[in-house]
Amino acid sequence: MEKWPVGVFASIDAGLGVKLDVARELGVPTVHLHTPHKPSRTEAKAREFSAKLKEFGLRISVVFAGFEGESYADIPTVAKTVGLVPPQTREARKQELKEIADFAKLLGVDAVGLHVGFIPHDPANPSYPDLLAVVREVCDHCRGNGQRIHLETGQETADALLQFLHDVDRDNLFVNFDPANMILYGSGEPLPALRKVGAYVRSVHCKDAKWAARPGEEWGTEVPFGTGDVNAEQFLRTLVEIGYDGPLTIEREIPQEPHRQKAEIGQAVRVIEELKRKILG
Ligand code: MG
């Protein structure tokens, strides 16, 4: 397979990614698909989506889970609402995540990505063992489907993420590395973090950001790939170092401005193609 096929984050009826017809117009071969809403997760819809993807020449490399009630408004709101960490929704979301994995299987996709949420940093927190048990159960469900789970980076430092992966102790648990999230959340310099978790990286987001004045307390600012503090060329060179040759999936979360979003993703495609020529020769 081609090394580093370009991709975009896309969605059908839910989530922030570009629509599938925009992905087609961008001419990229792969997408990360935000899971469609629950009523669309049926066999008939899976056949319909698969036919459309085939017609558009698109392959889904990862299906990303998302849940009702999640909000990325600010960092404390993420901690309260996102992923499997909030205790009041943990059980229901665990069930839904299994359903999303089953839907991904209907689409023929062998990886499910998600933001697990702000993992408690103190393993003595009573929530920690319960969270481990939930993630193990979902990993085991996915194993039955022949699937991996990819944890999106951002809320944790690389060391905390490594600890969590170690503690879950499942061999189908991996990482979707998003360098911009490290900056947005203020959880560490992205490239040293990428080297640390490199052995677990099975998918990536090409997203860029600028550091906040008070990292970790307030959001950094998301900017088009190649124009922020990630350093796009060094990011790709670090992917060579860790031996990553999977898709380079562009993420640009400004769905309220679809024209600008498409233009900036198109620009990111050109940045990546140029860097691929430079780095891979
Ligand atoms: Mg991301």
Side-chain angles (χ1 to χ4, degrees):
M1 206 173 33
E2 182 202 348
K3 181 164 170 150
W4 287 352
V6 179
V8 294
F9 207 111
S11 59
I12 294 170
D13 62 5
L16 301 176
V18 299
K19 299 293 169 214
L20 289 182
D21 54 342
V22 176
R24 171 170 67 173
E25 286 165 38
L26 287 162
V28 298
T30 70
V31 293
H32 283 181
L33 184 76
H34 190 281
T35 182
H37 283 308
K38 206 167 191 163
S40 300
R41 292 181 216 137
T42 63
E43 277 193 63
K45 283 287 184 188
R47 273 196 300 275
E48 191 185 306
F49 295 149
S50 294
K52 196 168 181 182
L53 286 155
K54 196 171 172 206
E55 182 197 332
F56 287 8
L58 293 168
R59 178 176 67 83
I60 306 171
S61 55
V62 184
V63 169
F64 268 81
F67 304 106
E68 206 70 45
E70 290 184 319
S71 167
Y72 292 85
D74 51 43
I75 292 177
T77 306
V78 172
K80 255 189 262 145
T81 66
V82 167
L84 299 174
V85 171
Q88 64 281 11
T89 50
R90 189 177 297 155
E91 196 58 29
R93 287 180 176 177
K94 178 186 80 181
Q95 284 315 113
E96 189 171 3
L97 185 52
K98 291 181 188 176
E99 291 165 21
I100 291 168
D102 293 346
F103 182 72
K105 189 187 176 194
L106 291 175
L107 292 171
V109 178
D110 63 4
V112 177
L114 83 150
H115 268 293
V116 78
F118 273 93
I119 297 165
H121 289 293
D122 174 12
N125 183 317
S127 204
Y128 193 72
D130 189 49
L131 183 62
L132 291 178
V134 163
V135 175
R136 281 182 197 128
E137 187 178 327
V138 174
C139 282
D140 293 343
H141 181 86
C142 285
R143 160 162 302 294
N145 284 347
Q147 293 167 320
R148 304 178 303 273
I149 292 268
H150 294 191
L151 297 182
E152 172 92 355
T153 55
Q155 285 105 1
E156 281 70 45
T157 62
D159 289 324
L161 184 59
L162 281 176
Q163 181 68 49
F164 186 71
L165 293 165
H166 174 265
D167 291 347
V168 174
D169 192 23
R170 287 296 183 272
D171 62 6
N172 61 332
L173 184 62
F174 292 100
V175 165
N176 180 80
F177 194 87
D178 184 325
N181 281 351
M182 304 302 294
I183 293 172
L184 290 168
Y185 287 89
S187 41
E189 284 289 348
L191 303 188
L194 176 56
R195 288 187 190 98
K196 273 191 179 166
V197 302
Y200 290 95
V201 173
R202 292 300 167 92
S203 56
V204 301
H205 286 157
C206 291
K207 193 169 86 185
D208 215 334
K210 291 191 185 280
W211 289 97
R214 291 174 294 131
E217 289 174 52
E218 54 185 12
W219 281 126
T221 310
E222 194 195 319
V223 298
F225 187 66
T227 67
D229 292 330
V230 164
N231 190 334
E233 179 169 347
Q234 287 311 317
F235 176 55
L236 267 57
R237 290 192 184 280
T238 309
L239 291 176
V240 173
E241 266 177 53
I242 66 164
Y244 178 82
D245 52 15
L248 301 179
T249 306
I250 299 161
E251 188 182 14
R252 180 74 177 110
E253 301 298 10
I254 45 168
Q256 66 286 2
E257 296 175 80
H259 293 290
R260 196 178 133 212
Q261 184 185 38
K262 185 181 167 188
E264 291 182 358
I265 293 172
Q267 178 58 30
V269 172
R270 289 186 286 278
V271 166
I272 290 172
E273 292 295 355
E274 191 171 317
L275 287 172
K276 275 175 69 173
R277 279 192 294 276
K278 186 172 172 186
I279 295 168
L280 303 179

Short mmCIF file of all heavy atoms in Angstrom, two decimals, residues 5-38:
data_model
loop_
_atom_site.label_atom_id
_atom_site.label_comp_id
_atom_site.label_asym_id
_atom_site.label_seq_id
_atom_site.Cartn_x
_atom_site.Cartn_y
_atom_site.Cartn_z
N PRO A 5 -0.87 7.70 2.74
CA PRO A 5 -1.98 8.26 1.95
C PRO A 5 -2.62 9.42 2.72
O PRO A 5 -2.72 9.36 3.95
CB PRO A 5 -2.95 7.06 1.82
CG PRO A 5 -2.60 6.14 2.95
CD PRO A 5 -1.13 6.33 3.20
N VAL A 6 -3.03 10.44 2.01
CA VAL A 6 -3.63 11.61 2.68
C VAL A 6 -5.09 11.30 2.99
O VAL A 6 -5.76 10.55 2.26
CB VAL A 6 -3.49 12.87 1.80
CG1 VAL A 6 -4.12 14.08 2.49
CG2 VAL A 6 -2.01 13.15 1.52
N GLY A 7 -5.57 11.86 4.07
CA GLY A 7 -6.96 11.68 4.44
C GLY A 7 -7.54 12.94 5.03
O GLY A 7 -6.81 13.90 5.30
N VAL A 8 -8.85 12.95 5.22
CA VAL A 8 -9.50 14.04 5.95
C VAL A 8 -10.49 13.44 6.95
O VAL A 8 -10.99 12.34 6.76
CB VAL A 8 -10.28 15.03 5.04
CG1 VAL A 8 -9.35 15.79 4.15
CG2 VAL A 8 -11.38 14.35 4.26
N PHE A 9 -10.75 14.23 7.99
CA PHE A 9 -11.78 13.86 8.95
C PHE A 9 -13.11 14.21 8.30
O PHE A 9 -13.33 15.34 7.87
CB PHE A 9 -11.59 14.65 10.25
CG PHE A 9 -12.13 13.93 11.45
CD1 PHE A 9 -11.27 13.42 12.41
CD2 PHE A 9 -13.49 13.74 11.62
CE1 PHE A 9 -11.75 12.73 13.51
CE2 PHE A 9 -13.98 13.07 12.72
CZ PHE A 9 -13.12 12.55 13.67
N ALA A 10 -14.00 13.21 8.21
CA ALA A 10 -15.28 13.42 7.52
C ALA A 10 -16.44 12.94 8.37
O ALA A 10 -16.24 12.19 9.33
CB ALA A 10 -15.26 12.67 6.19
N SER A 11 -17.62 13.39 8.01
CA SER A 11 -18.81 12.93 8.73
C SER A 11 -19.96 12.79 7.75
O SER A 11 -19.95 13.37 6.66
CB SER A 11 -19.18 13.90 9.84
OG SER A 11 -19.41 15.18 9.31
N ILE A 12 -20.95 11.99 8.13
CA ILE A 12 -22.12 11.80 7.28
C ILE A 12 -23.27 12.67 7.77
O ILE A 12 -23.74 13.54 7.07
CB ILE A 12 -22.50 10.30 7.23
CG1 ILE A 12 -21.37 9.51 6.54
CG2 ILE A 12 -23.82 10.13 6.49
CD1 ILE A 12 -21.52 8.01 6.63
N ASP A 13 -23.70 12.41 9.02
CA ASP A 13 -24.83 13.20 9.54
C ASP A 13 -24.56 13.70 10.95
O ASP A 13 -25.44 14.24 11.60
CB ASP A 13 -26.12 12.38 9.51
CG ASP A 13 -26.05 11.13 10.40
OD1 ASP A 13 -25.04 10.95 11.10
OD2 ASP A 13 -27.01 10.34 10.38
N ALA A 14 -23.34 13.49 11.46
CA ALA A 14 -23.03 13.95 12.82
C ALA A 14 -21.54 14.22 12.89
O ALA A 14 -20.77 13.63 12.15
CB ALA A 14 -23.39 12.87 13.83
N GLY A 15 -21.16 15.13 13.78
CA GLY A 15 -19.74 15.38 13.96
C GLY A 15 -19.28 16.57 13.14
O GLY A 15 -20.03 17.14 12.36
N LEU A 16 -18.01 16.90 13.33
CA LEU A 16 -17.49 18.17 12.81
C LEU A 16 -16.80 18.05 11.45
O LEU A 16 -16.54 19.05 10.82
CB LEU A 16 -16.46 18.74 13.80
CG LEU A 16 -16.99 18.99 15.22
CD1 LEU A 16 -15.84 19.46 16.12
CD2 LEU A 16 -18.10 20.01 15.21
N GLY A 17 -16.51 16.83 11.02
CA GLY A 17 -15.71 16.68 9.80
C GLY A 17 -16.41 17.20 8.56
O GLY A 17 -17.60 17.55 8.59
N VAL A 18 -15.68 17.22 7.44
CA VAL A 18 -16.27 17.66 6.18
C VAL A 18 -17.24 16.60 5.67
O VAL A 18 -17.14 15.42 6.01
CB VAL A 18 -15.20 17.93 5.09
CG1 VAL A 18 -14.25 19.03 5.54
CG2 VAL A 18 -14.43 16.67 4.73
N LYS A 19 -18.18 17.00 4.83
CA LYS A 19 -19.11 16.05 4.22
C LYS A 19 -18.34 15.17 3.23
O LYS A 19 -17.30 15.56 2.69
CB LYS A 19 -20.23 16.80 3.50
CG LYS A 19 -21.05 17.69 4.42
CD LYS A 19 -21.85 16.85 5.41
CE LYS A 19 -22.47 17.71 6.51
NZ LYS A 19 -22.53 17.02 7.80
N LEU A 20 -18.92 13.99 2.95
CA LEU A 20 -18.23 13.06 2.06
C LEU A 20 -18.00 13.63 0.66
O LEU A 20 -16.97 13.36 0.03
CB LEU A 20 -19.01 11.75 1.95
CG LEU A 20 -19.01 10.85 3.19
CD1 LEU A 20 -19.78 9.56 2.90
CD2 LEU A 20 -17.59 10.53 3.64
N ASP A 21 -18.95 14.45 0.17
CA ASP A 21 -18.73 14.99 -1.19
C ASP A 21 -17.57 15.98 -1.20
O ASP A 21 -16.86 16.12 -2.20
CB ASP A 21 -20.01 15.60 -1.77
CG ASP A 21 -20.64 16.65 -0.87
OD1 ASP A 21 -20.31 16.67 0.33
OD2 ASP A 21 -21.44 17.45 -1.36
N VAL A 22 -17.33 16.65 -0.05
CA VAL A 22 -16.16 17.54 0.03
C VAL A 22 -14.88 16.71 0.03
O VAL A 22 -13.90 17.04 -0.64
CB VAL A 22 -16.23 18.45 1.28
CG1 VAL A 22 -14.97 19.29 1.42
CG2 VAL A 22 -17.47 19.35 1.21
N ALA A 23 -14.91 15.59 0.77
CA ALA A 23 -13.75 14.69 0.78
C ALA A 23 -13.44 14.23 -0.65
O ALA A 23 -12.28 14.17 -1.07
CB ALA A 23 -14.01 13.50 1.69
N ARG A 24 -14.49 13.92 -1.41
CA ARG A 24 -14.28 13.49 -2.79
C ARG A 24 -13.66 14.62 -3.63
O ARG A 24 -12.70 14.41 -4.37
CB ARG A 24 -15.60 13.06 -3.43
CG ARG A 24 -15.44 12.82 -4.94
CD ARG A 24 -16.63 12.19 -5.57
NE ARG A 24 -17.80 13.06 -5.56
CZ ARG A 24 -18.94 12.78 -6.17
NH1 ARG A 24 -19.06 11.65 -6.85
NH2 ARG A 24 -19.96 13.60 -6.11
N GLU A 25 -14.21 15.84 -3.46
CA GLU A 25 -13.69 16.97 -4.23
C GLU A 25 -12.23 17.25 -3.90
O GLU A 25 -11.47 17.71 -4.74
CB GLU A 25 -14.52 18.23 -3.97
CG GLU A 25 -15.89 18.20 -4.65
CD GLU A 25 -16.82 19.27 -4.08
OE1 GLU A 25 -16.33 20.37 -3.78
OE2 GLU A 25 -18.02 18.96 -3.92
N LEU A 26 -11.86 16.98 -2.63
CA LEU A 26 -10.47 17.20 -2.23
C LEU A 26 -9.53 16.17 -2.85
O LEU A 26 -8.31 16.35 -2.88
CB LEU A 26 -10.34 17.18 -0.70
CG LEU A 26 -10.91 18.42 0.02
CD1 LEU A 26 -11.15 18.11 1.49
CD2 LEU A 26 -9.98 19.62 -0.14
N GLY A 27 -10.11 15.08 -3.35
CA GLY A 27 -9.32 14.09 -4.08
C GLY A 27 -8.43 13.22 -3.21
O GLY A 27 -7.43 12.69 -3.69
N VAL A 28 -8.78 13.07 -1.93
CA VAL A 28 -7.95 12.25 -1.05
C VAL A 28 -8.49 10.81 -1.03
O VAL A 28 -9.68 10.60 -1.27
CB VAL A 28 -7.93 12.82 0.39
CG1 VAL A 28 -7.33 14.21 0.40
CG2 VAL A 28 -9.33 12.84 1.00
N PRO A 29 -7.62 9.83 -0.78
CA PRO A 29 -8.09 8.44 -0.83
C PRO A 29 -8.67 7.88 0.47
O PRO A 29 -9.33 6.84 0.44
CB PRO A 29 -6.81 7.67 -1.19
CG PRO A 29 -5.69 8.50 -0.66
CD PRO A 29 -6.15 9.94 -0.73
N THR A 30 -8.40 8.54 1.63
CA THR A 30 -8.85 7.95 2.89
C THR A 30 -9.56 8.98 3.76
O THR A 30 -9.35 10.20 3.62
CB THR A 30 -7.68 7.37 3.73
OG1 THR A 30 -6.89 8.45 4.24
CG2 THR A 30 -6.81 6.43 2.91
N VAL A 31 -10.41 8.48 4.68
CA VAL A 31 -11.05 9.35 5.67
C VAL A 31 -11.04 8.69 7.04
O VAL A 31 -11.01 7.46 7.15
CB VAL A 31 -12.54 9.68 5.32
CG1 VAL A 31 -12.64 10.54 4.08
CG2 VAL A 31 -13.38 8.42 5.18
N HIS A 32 -11.05 9.54 8.07
CA HIS A 32 -11.51 9.13 9.39
C HIS A 32 -12.96 9.57 9.43
O HIS A 32 -13.26 10.74 9.20
CB HIS A 32 -10.72 9.84 10.50
CG HIS A 32 -9.36 9.27 10.73
ND1 HIS A 32 -8.51 9.76 11.69
CD2 HIS A 32 -8.72 8.24 10.13
CE1 HIS A 32 -7.39 9.04 11.68
NE2 HIS A 32 -7.49 8.13 10.73
N LEU A 33 -13.84 8.62 9.73
CA LEU A 33 -15.26 8.95 9.72
C LEU A 33 -15.79 9.11 11.14
O LEU A 33 -15.66 8.21 11.97
CB LEU A 33 -16.06 7.83 9.02
CG LEU A 33 -17.55 8.13 8.87
CD1 LEU A 33 -17.78 9.14 7.75
CD2 LEU A 33 -18.35 6.86 8.62
N HIS A 34 -16.39 10.28 11.41
CA HIS A 34 -17.11 10.44 12.67
C HIS A 34 -18.35 9.57 12.59
O HIS A 34 -19.05 9.59 11.58
CB HIS A 34 -17.47 11.91 12.88
CG HIS A 34 -17.99 12.18 14.27
ND1 HIS A 34 -19.28 11.89 14.64
CD2 HIS A 34 -17.40 12.70 15.36
CE1 HIS A 34 -19.45 12.22 15.91
NE2 HIS A 34 -18.32 12.71 16.38
N THR A 35 -18.61 8.81 13.63
CA THR A 35 -19.75 7.89 13.57
C THR A 35 -21.05 8.64 13.27
O THR A 35 -21.27 9.72 13.80
CB THR A 35 -19.91 7.11 14.89
OG1 THR A 35 -21.01 6.21 14.74
CG2 THR A 35 -20.20 8.02 16.07
N PRO A 36 -21.90 8.07 12.42
CA PRO A 36 -23.20 8.69 12.21
C PRO A 36 -24.07 8.55 13.47
O PRO A 36 -23.74 7.76 14.37
CB PRO A 36 -23.82 7.90 11.06
CG PRO A 36 -22.89 6.81 10.72
CD PRO A 36 -21.69 6.88 11.60
N HIS A 37 -25.17 9.30 13.52
CA HIS A 37 -26.12 9.22 14.63
C HIS A 37 -26.67 7.81 14.76
O HIS A 37 -26.73 7.06 13.78
CB HIS A 37 -27.29 10.19 14.40
CG HIS A 37 -26.96 11.61 14.69
ND1 HIS A 37 -26.40 12.00 15.89
CD2 HIS A 37 -27.12 12.73 13.96
CE1 HIS A 37 -26.23 13.32 15.87
NE2 HIS A 37 -26.65 13.78 14.70
N LYS A 38 -27.13 7.51 15.95
CA LYS A 38 -27.64 6.18 16.27
C LYS A 38 -28.65 5.63 15.24
O LYS A 38 -28.51 4.48 14.80
CB LYS A 38 -28.29 6.23 17.66
CG LYS A 38 -28.31 4.91 18.38
CD LYS A 38 -28.67 5.10 19.85
CE LYS A 38 -28.42 3.82 20.60
NZ LYS A 38 -28.34 4.00 22.04
#
